Amino acid sequence: MSAWKKRWKRDLDMRVPDLREDIKNASIPETEEKLTVWQRFCAWLERYKRRVVACVASGVAVIVGLCVTLPHLKNDTSITPSVTASGSVVALQINPEVLFSVDGDGMVTAVASGNADADVILSDETRLNSMKGVPVYEATAIFTDYAAKLGFLELTAKPAVRVLTHEGKTTWNEEVKNGLESYFKTKGVYGVVVDECLRYTEFCEATGLPASQKAEEIVSGVRALQTLYTKRVAEDKSGEELKTLYGEFVAVEEFGAILDIMEALGMDVTALRELLILPTTIVEYGKKIDAYLVQQFADLEKKHNKAYKEVRAEISDNEYAAHLQSIVEEYGSISAYWASLQK
Amino acid sequence: MNGTNIDSLLRKIAQGDNKAFETLYIRTSRGVYAFLYGYFHSHADTEDAMQTVYLKVKTGIGSYRAGTNGRAWLLQIAKNHALNELAKRKNTVSIDETDIPVRESFDEGFTSELRKILTEEEYQIVTLHVLWRYKHREIAEMLSYPTGTVTSKYKRAIEKLKARFKEE
């Protein structure tokens, strides 16, 4: 993307105000069904008439082609169906870790948590939907911003994020890397982006996906995933196993201690104390996880609000380049810097 | 922001889904802001207008026909609001949009600079193409220009921007 387009979008993102609470909360008037089925069909046809004509023409061409070629193919065993990779998967690792399924145009079609921490961000439908149907370089910047808001990304340190893509016809690592670097510069954060394009098997290993040698399988695998990691790993678990899992994710003792403090401060934590009781059914597990994630988001947002809202001067391209150079001089490479942060 | 996604969100809003409304704001606010700025030339006025436009989207959702062009519907609300506001300032009814006065802009920032470099038409075409992903042909239909005119105006706009921001 051109530099001026990026600058423009960054400027707009800074300018766009938050929606006022009274407008957010205003009720939506009830509406009646305006069109008959025929009218809706006509509206659809009017809108998509070019595509409909193109599809019909293509269909006729295919039928004619088949009529001509099929008789010759009857006993030909050398023809194999063509497999085209029309999409790909981009993984973003901060901690948290998240997977974006991307179509051929680079638009996000599905998002799934790569680990339990990502669930805090993706548990809300509005937040989740803000990352779908948008270019992957936008979605990754949105997710990174949430990670910063919740304190997963330390803005005052020199954080690093890793972008993984897999081999194939189209990789989006360049766009995503540029988008994230722009994000860091705008926010005044000396963040670093590691981007790696891996072979299929290495990518699956690095992201925890089932091993595969085909882009289509990896893409469809991510699209089929339950969005939240904590719910995905609970599938097909027994009652006792669910209790254990829940105890690991919720850290019941620490959470209990937090509730004691909240109660001492005069807050009503009756409903939250229900979350300390271990679930035994998958339905109960799902409801408690949902409620816990809402609480987690609110807690982390409040805790890190000051650091997140702090105004930092935008970093120039030269300053950023100098920062990357210093990292390379000290650690040998950006990847080595990332590895050092994981220890 | 493609038309299908916006149409799908507007349908959900019409069914009373407030979360869909918030998602619509997240997805479209940048484009609506840039669009309105083309009329107001003032960040302060544009910010105010944004709130009113989205309130009108919510309260007027009944007028949206599902399956039609969601993008165009949203932009029409924004345009109508902008023209009404500017007409109020003039305090007369003006059919000719070029008569409507615009407050002199002391704004800083990239959007403001962009608006100063480009003509009103060029800014509008660039906004619709870059932020709203309209094709030149679609923009030509919206603005009642030949497609070639839109293409050449867009090209001229890009040349100006590249020259100003020294792109390779």
Side-chain angles (χ1 to χ4, degrees):
Chain A
M1 192 196 306
S2 311
W4 69 264
K5 287 184 189 173
K6 285 186 206 169
R7 284 180 66 184
W8 190 20
K9 289 181 181 181
R10 272 207 312 266
D11 185 61
L12 288 169
D13 287 340
M14 282 195 313
R15 304 272 176 204
V16 168
D18 290 335
L19 202 55
R20 278 198 334 243
E21 285 302 315
D22 61 311
I23 296 172
K24 260 193 219 179
N25 298 330
S27 55
I28 300 170
E30 282 183 26
T31 58
E32 293 172 6
E33 188 59 59
K34 288 263 178 198
L35 298 173
T36 63
V37 172
W38 176 250
Q39 284 172 326
R40 287 206 304 274
F41 174 73
C42 290
W44 175 85
L45 193 61
E46 179 59 34
R47 193 172 168 205
Y48 292 106
K49 60 184 170 194
R50 285 173 193 263
R51 288 188 212 177
V52 169
V53 167
C55 284
V56 168
S58 303
V60 167
V62 164
I63 290 167
V64 167
L66 284 173
C67 289
V68 169
T69 57
L70 271 179
H72 301 287
L73 296 175
K74 210 172 171 184
N75 295 314
D76 189 342
T77 57
S78 66
I79 300 293
T80 53
S82 65
V83 175
T84 51
S86 59
S88 60
V89 173
V90 175
L92 176 63
Q93 299 179 333
I94 297 175
N95 176 52
E97 296 178 12
V98 62
L99 299 162
F100 297 96
S101 177
V102 176
D103 68 15
D105 294 326
M107 305 294 278
V108 174
T109 55
V111 188
S113 293
N115 65 2
D117 283 335
D119 285 358
V120 181
I121 296 171
L122 299 183
S123 55
D124 176 81
E125 212 178 302
T126 303
R127 290 196 293 271
L128 176 64
N129 287 340
S130 71
M131 293 180 240
K132 289 186 191 175
V134 298
V136 64
Y137 59 80
E138 247 186 70
T140 46
I142 292 171
F143 186 89
T144 302
D145 191 50
Y146 277 121
K149 193 177 242 194
L150 303 183
F152 288 114
L153 199 69
E154 280 193 59
L155 300 174
T156 51
K158 292 178 184 176
V161 303
R162 186 162 80 151
V163 175
L164 296 177
T165 51
H166 55 77
E167 59 183 319
K169 284 187 182 176
T170 318
T171 58
W172 301 100
N173 51 314
E174 191 70 29
E175 282 85 353
V176 171
K177 183 178 175 208
N178 290 341
L180 289 172
E181 286 181 343
S182 289
Y183 168 80
F184 284 133
K185 283 185 262 184
T186 307
K187 278 280 185 189
V189 174
Y190 284 97
V192 164
V193 184
V194 179
D195 78 292
E196 295 174 22
C197 185
L198 305 174
R199 294 188 181 280
Y200 292 126
T201 43
E202 289 167 351
F203 181 83
C204 292
E205 204 180 307
T207 55
L209 291 170
S212 173
Q213 290 279 2
K214 293 181 185 174
E216 304 82 53
E217 280 181 10
I218 296 174
V219 169
S220 56
V222 170
R223 283 190 194 155
L225 282 179
Q226 153 67 259
T227 304
L228 300 185
Y229 179 87
T230 46
K231 290 187 179 178
R232 195 185 312 149
V233 297
E235 288 164 3
D236 303 324
K237 291 285 190 289
S238 67
E240 285 305 310
E241 285 168 330
L242 285 175
K243 278 188 190 176
T244 308
L245 259 184
Y246 184 81
E248 283 169 14
F249 292 136
V250 173
V252 169
E253 272 186 41
E254 286 90 337
F255 189 51
I258 291 169
L259 293 183
D260 290 338
I261 295 169
M262 286 166 73
E263 200 167 45
L265 292 171
M267 296 163 83
D268 181 8
V269 297
T270 317
L272 292 174
R273 287 219 182 266
E274 293 284 320
L275 299 181
L276 298 176
I277 303 168
L278 303 178
T280 52
T281 67
I282 193 73
V283 171
E284 216 182 308
Y285 175 91
K287 284 183 184 171
K288 284 180 184 257
I289 284 286
D290 285 341
Y292 177 71
L293 289 171
V294 168
Q295 184 61 28
Q296 268 286 85
F297 186 92
D299 281 348
L300 290 172
E301 190 183 22
K302 195 173 169 182
K303 187 176 169 186
H304 299 281
N305 189 48
K306 194 178 169 189
Y308 176 74
K309 290 261 166 82
E310 192 184 314
V311 175
R312 298 173 184 81
E314 197 168 317
I315 297 171
S316 70
D317 290 343
N318 287 341
E319 285 169 330
Y320 190 75
H323 167 63
L324 293 181
Q325 182 60 29
S326 70
I327 296 269
V328 169
E329 281 168 8
E330 190 176 342
Y331 291 89
S333 68
I334 302 291
S335 297
Y337 177 66
W338 162 264
S340 75
L341 293 178
Q342 307 314 304
K343 290 175 188 163
Chain B
M1 281 177 285
N2 68 49
T4 313
N5 287 342
I6 295 178
D7 174 67
S8 140
L9 286 171
L10 290 172
R11 281 172 196 249
K12 287 183 185 174
I13 295 168
Q15 288 162 11
D17 186 344
N18 225 0
K19 282 200 170 167
F21 177 72
E22 289 181 38
T23 304
L24 181 78
Y25 186 78
I26 290 169
R27 295 250 182 100
T28 60
S29 53
R30 185 203 265 169
V32 171
Y33 189 98
F35 186 77
L36 287 171
Y37 190 82
Y39 288 96
F40 290 111
H41 300 219
S42 152
H43 288 303
D45 290 343
T46 306
E47 283 168 21
D48 287 340
M50 285 286 286
Q51 306 290 346
T52 310
V53 164
Y54 280 90
L55 181 61
K56 286 184 177 181
V57 165
K58 195 181 245 194
T59 55
I61 194 67
S63 69
Y64 176 67
R65 291 188 170 185
T68 58
N69 193 331
R71 271 186 305 187
W73 184 80
L74 178 57
L75 288 175
Q76 193 61 47
I77 291 178
K79 182 179 174 182
N80 290 345
H81 173 71
L83 293 177
N84 287 339
E85 279 300 302
L86 294 172
K88 272 185 208 169
R89 278 179 214 172
K90 196 181 176 189
N91 218 23
T92 56
V93 176
S94 172
I95 296 167
D96 183 357
E97 292 168 5
T98 58
D99 281 352
I100 297 170
V102 169
R103 287 186 190 150
E104 189 184 337
S105 172
F106 297 101
D107 284 344
E108 290 180 351
F110 194 84
T111 305
S112 169
E113 207 171 338
L114 204 82
R115 182 62 190 85
K116 286 172 194 165
I117 293 166
L118 303 177
T119 65
E120 188 171 327
E121 283 165 347
E122 287 168 352
Y123 179 87
Q124 198 173 27
I125 290 168
V126 168
T127 301
L128 291 171
H129 185 67
V130 172
L131 297 180
W132 287 94
R133 295 175 182 247
Y134 275 108
K135 295 184 173 52
H136 289 175
R137 172 180 48 77
E138 292 171 318
I139 296 172
E141 279 174 33
M142 283 169 76
L143 304 180
S144 304
Y145 289 146
T147 306
T149 302
V150 169
T151 305
S152 64
K153 283 182 188 284
Y154 181 76
K155 267 177 145 172
R156 204 171 315 131
I158 298 305
E159 278 160 18
K160 284 184 187 177
L161 293 173
K162 281 185 178 176
R164 171 63 184 85
F165 300 113
K166 292 187 177 55
E167 283 202 20
E168 291 172 8

